[in-house]
Amino acid sequence: MQRLIIAILIFLFSATTLIGQEERDSSDARGAGIVQRSFKDTLPKPDTLIYSWKYAENSFIKLYAEFDTTLLSIQLPEAYRREWTGFVYLGNPGSAVQNTFFSERHDIEVNWQIKNFYPYLKTHKKQKFYNTKTPFTQMQFVSGGEDYEYFTFNHTQNYDKHINLGMSYEIFNSEGYLNYQSTRNRNFSFWTDIDYERYKMYGSINFNAINADENGGIRTDYLLTDSSVSVQDMTTKLSNANNRFSYFIAAIDHQYRLLNFGQDSIYKNGLWLSHHFSFDKMQRLYTDEGDEYTDPVTEEVFNFYANTYNGTRSYDTTSFIDYKNRAAIMFQSRGKTKIDMGPFVEHHQIKNTNFYRDTLFTYNNDTTYETISVGGQATIKKSDDFKVDLQTLYYPFQDYNYQNYQITANLVKWQKLWNDTLYMHLMLYHMEKTPDYLLGQYFSNHLKWVNNLQDENERKLQFNLRLIKSRFNLQFTVDHLDNYIYFDQNMKVAQHDQEIMMFGAKLGKKFTFFEHFNLEMSLMGQYTATDFIDVPEFSAKGNFFYKRQIKFKNTEGVIDLYGGFSGRIHTKYYAPAYAPAIAQFYLQDEKLIGNYPVLNVFVGARVKRFLFSLRFDHVNSGLMRGVSYYSAYNYLLRPRNLRFSVSWNFYN
């Protein structure tokens, strides 16, 4: 509460000094077509201060990435709440979270052991790159109940017209409402983008640290139906259990023109050397002091895990290290249609470590293997409005990934459509891969398995359509899977040996009517005939708010005020349970969870580059007690709580 009062005083002081400040426009016209202007940054005046984009993997094709500094964005520092239509989590920010849209969940590129903390991670693939003449700095602070704190510092600027640099630092702390639920996350990233005529490069360095206490969920459903028991007094299954992750990733993609054929200004050919290097290192430590608990109603004694091989405590350590190098020779043609094509060779060196202490001995398994693949890449650019990128990869040698392959195609098209701009992105993907080593063989204090897993095969089609000015987005996905791997009801790895089809669709639209009223909605639907993929058939979230600008005649300053409510809901399904010992969600078939709306109300203000917000999350908490109050099985939704947010953007 003391931090909240101090922050409000800072806001009041800042507002009096900011009203009347002058807007600055530093628009830069670098690039057209693929890199698009962000009209969201300086509402309501649509001047463009910054461009943002992402790169297709192992490619220099730029994909649309919206840069958002709007009033609503500062309320939700959790990326999964801003970007995902549906999710399941453990009830506390910073804890494990899973996307309920299967296609996006299955597309996460990090090692499976840390995938459920993916929204909190900085990675090379997720990195946005920027172009802005005026240096941009953003600082944001969020404070809430139960020692919830979030702070981020972001800065990017152009060194000159060819080089952009940036850095980001993020802190995420929350004690949680239940016992043994606290989280403490940190991450830092540095990135650069270089664009010369003969040399192009983009790279990033990312440090991530996650520290999450694990409580195993509440002990019985009775605690939900007994109105005399507050959330804070509910007992949990585990105490003194903890997961710690450290994840480092450094990556660089660059290309250099070796030769240039022809001096004609209209038609040129060249030979480019392209190289990708990345280093990933993930370490995980799980500890607990025991898994025995007592049911508060029946007074029966249970164990959270089916087995405990070391009767004293758990001390399970795993690590994953991956060195990757890819070198390519690219022939480049620069006529009316620009073509880049050529072969590449890729080398991986992977090391898996599995360490734990048993009652009789200490188990330590270090397994290192190397793989070599060959492939080709072709990129076709017909003006800046149409680009195609095709990549193929094959493992011809008898190593760990022998006969694995991957084919990826990205098609990007920008089209002027009346007074709007249409963006289309079609992605086709087909791969066969050998499962990760520790999915086949794993040993720990509570869980052990040795599996003879077959190679996974996946085919994916994804089509994304956006109308930029109309703020409309439509996405279709089809996933076809063979030998799908999942975690069964026993918290262990299982594999389905039949074909699986998954169909998904997402629709997003933002409306403004009567000048001041705004509606933002996101709808998601998906279907599969299988019963071991845990996703809801329908999910929805939305924001409805009123926004008005007040002008001060004496100072010619303005202030934007807004207020409204938001909510999300999904249909009933067997939402997954969670196993702290492996940090994985797994199947359960005991409770259907869903059809429960989570409602929030908020107010806020914007004075030039300073943003302020008060948000009351889950205002309907406690009004509908029952199983639907869960997010994951036995894990409660975060109850009613108040958040205060401030953000300050600098363009100088």
Side-chain angles (χ1 to χ4, degrees), residues 554-612:
N554 294 335
T555 62
E556 296 184 355
V558 296
I559 181 171
D560 293 312
L561 301 175
Y562 74 103
F565 61 89
S566 64
R568 57 184 172 88
I569 192 172
H570 61 76
T571 53
K572 279 192 173 184
Y573 75 112
Y574 287 105
Y578 179 73
I582 49 175
Q584 298 299 308
F585 291 96
Y586 66 95
L587 295 182
Q588 64 87 18
D589 53 11
E590 297 184 26
K591 298 290 183 183
L592 286 168
I593 299 171
N595 291 342
Y596 177 84
V598 177
L599 302 177
N600 323 287
V601 296
F602 53 85
V603 295
R606 174 174 183 149
V607 184
K608 301 302 179 184
R609 306 299 181 193
F610 184 82
L611 292 84
F612 161 83

Side-chain angles (χ1 to χ4, degrees), residues 313-329:
R313 66 190 300 262
S314 298
Y315 193 89
D316 305 332
T317 302
T318 59
S319 70
F320 172 83
I321 300 175
D322 181 11
Y323 294 90
K324 175 183 174 182
N325 274 285
R326 172 190 281 208
I329 295 292

